[in-house]
Amino acid sequence: MNTSIKTIDEYIATQPKEVALILEQVRKTIRNVIPEAEETIGYGIPTFKYYGNLVHFAGYKNHIGFYPGAAGIEAFADEIKQYNTSKGTIQFLLKEPIPYDLIAKITTFRVQQNLEKKKKK
């Protein structure tokens, strides 16, 4: 984990050009869903916060990692079954089209989750 990176812009600038372009589009997709979310670096990767952690994303050699948490994975299990997943991660292969609409849907779901948690406090 590179602890010298403090902003999403800095993180994206470290990526190969083709990955950086995709990461910028992922960022824009999330920002379109929730423009008031805070951008930060968490766990060494781009993070959006809105009443707590919302989603994270990262670039890798062969894929884009998208991290909506376990509930985000469970809620969209049918829609993400074609992708490699784990408890809180979805991997979108770079050699396939990135499903920005799905990223938006999952982010919208996570916004609603965080708003519900906020109401309960």
Side-chain angles (χ1 to χ4, degrees):
M1 177 170 24
N2 185 343
T3 56
S4 68
I5 294 175
K6 304 291 185 210
T7 68
I8 293 178
D9 286 327
E10 289 175 8
Y11 179 90
I12 291 174
T14 69
Q15 301 295 311
K17 184 178 180 183
E18 59 279 357
V19 175
L21 291 171
I22 294 169
L23 293 175
E24 202 52 69
Q25 187 61 45
V26 170
R27 178 191 202 179
K28 182 179 175 184
T29 300
I30 296 165
R31 175 85 30 232
N32 284 342
V33 169
I34 185 74
E36 59 271 32
E38 173 192 356
E39 289 190 357
T40 188
I41 296 292
Y43 309 104
I45 60 174
T47 300
F48 278 81
K49 291 184 175 185
Y50 185 72
Y51 299 111
N53 279 337
L54 191 61
V55 295
H56 310 267
F57 63 97
Y60 298 95
K61 183 177 179 182
N62 297 312
H63 71 277
I64 299 296
F66 183 65
Y67 309 93
I73 300 296
E74 291 169 24
F76 292 87
D78 287 342
E79 293 180 63
I80 63 172
K81 59 185 165 196
Q82 73 211 56
Y83 304 106
N84 290 332
T85 62
S86 66
K87 184 178 178 184
T89 306
I90 308 167
Q91 293 181 356
F92 301 121
L93 295 178
L94 294 173
K95 64 183 180 183
E96 297 174 3
I98 304 298
Y100 298 108
D101 57 336
L102 180 58
I103 291 170
K105 282 173 64 175
I106 295 171
T107 301
T108 299
F109 169 81
R110 290 288 297 123
V111 168
Q112 292 307 314
Q113 272 195 312
N114 283 7
L115 287 173
E116 287 173 24
K117 272 196 284 186
K118 179 186 177 268
K119 284 182 196 173
K120 291 179 182 176
K121 287 184 178 184

